[in-house]
Amino acid sequence: MTLHPRHARNQSSSHPDSRQDALDKALQMIEAQDAGVDLLVEVLVRRSHALAPALDAVVNAQRSLDALRPALASLPAVVTPELAQGAMATENAWRAMEQEFGLLKAQDASRALGSRAKGRSTLAHDRRESGQLLGVRRGNAVLYPGFQFDKYGDVHKVIPALIQLAHHARRSDEDLAQWICLPSGYLDGDRPVDRLQDADAVLAAAQGHFGVEW
């Protein structure tokens, strides 16, 4: 019996080897699609991680605006953009100071000074009252910038002199603390906080900044 060529093709396409080849190709296509999906997922995850800081910044900005609106609405006078920008810059500077050096509570500052009395904070208070330790008001509390303590827990020797100089210039401890953490043209752009061991240079810079002659 002679098979028609069409019938021969039909029989060959139904051969087990042909079906296996077709199945293998189908599996390869599925695996390739899976690999493509995995790659797409990986790219999306990486992009989401890259976008996370920006999204957090947007959320934080919105929260800040939500908190500021009631405060601004309660003020009797109009707040200029310059005033609002200055207040924001000052607040950001305090937060940067706290993040980098810490703003210690009185009890923690007393402990840093060597006090072992539990629940007592008089040592830091007494040192502040005598002009030996820098304390700043934040809200209803007096906090002590951590930058004034050296690695041994002692107060940098230049701190009392800086406090005396600032008071002589009728500047607050808050003004002094902010200046210490900002770049100074009198120190070639360095921050006084980074050169507290160089007492003479820092004192000279403070004299120039606050306009005090000793």
Side-chain angles (χ1 to χ4, degrees), residues 5-118:
R6 174 193 247 172
H7 293 163
R9 286 196 300 270
N10 288 341
Q11 278 199 350
S12 64
S13 64
S14 63
H15 192 276
D17 291 341
S18 300
R19 290 198 299 270
Q20 185 62 45
D21 291 342
L23 180 60
D24 291 341
K25 290 180 179 181
L27 290 174
Q28 291 175 1
M29 292 178 62
I30 293 174
E31 291 175 353
Q33 290 176 352
D34 288 344
V37 170
D38 291 341
L39 180 60
L40 178 60
V41 170
E42 183 179 354
V43 171
L44 291 175
V45 169
R46 289 181 178 178
R47 288 187 177 180
S48 66
H49 287 166
L51 290 174
L55 293 175
D56 289 342
V58 171
V59 172
N60 290 333
Q62 186 60 49
R63 289 175 178 172
S64 298
L65 288 174
D66 292 341
L68 282 173
R69 287 191 182 101
L72 292 174
S74 66
L75 295 175
V78 175
V79 179
T80 64
E82 293 78 13
L83 182 61
Q85 186 176 6
M88 180 179 64
T90 300
E91 178 60 28
N92 289 339
W94 284 120
R95 296 190 179 194
M97 185 189 304
E98 182 175 15
Q99 183 177 5
E100 185 174 1
F101 304 106
L103 291 174
L104 307 179
K105 296 180 179 179
Q107 183 176 349
D108 296 327
S110 295
R111 188 178 298 112
L113 291 168
S115 175
R116 296 295 178 263
K118 295 183 179 179

Side-chain angles (χ1 to χ4, degrees), residues 101-190:
F101 304 106
L103 291 174
L104 307 179
K105 296 180 179 179
Q107 183 176 349
D108 296 327
S110 295
R111 188 178 298 112
L113 291 168
S115 175
R116 296 295 178 263
K118 295 183 179 179
R120 301 291 297 275
S121 57
T122 56
L123 181 56
H125 174 78
D126 292 344
R127 291 284 184 89
R128 176 173 177 265
E129 288 295 313
S130 64
Q132 301 299 306
L133 190 65
L134 183 61
V136 298
R137 289 196 174 274
R138 290 284 288 153
N140 296 324
V142 174
L143 303 177
Y144 299 84
F147 60 69
Q148 58 193 322
F149 301 99
D150 63 20
K151 61 182 179 180
Y152 303 106
D154 298 323
V155 178
H156 285 286
K157 294 181 179 179
V158 72
I159 292 297
L162 288 174
I163 294 173
Q164 184 179 358
L165 186 150
H167 290 178
H168 186 74
R170 300 182 183 276
R171 303 297 290 270
S172 68
D173 289 348
E174 289 76 20
D175 291 337
L176 175 60
Q178 291 271 346
W179 174 78
I180 289 174
C181 292
L182 293 175
S184 172
Y186 294 98
L187 295 172
D188 297 326
D190 290 344

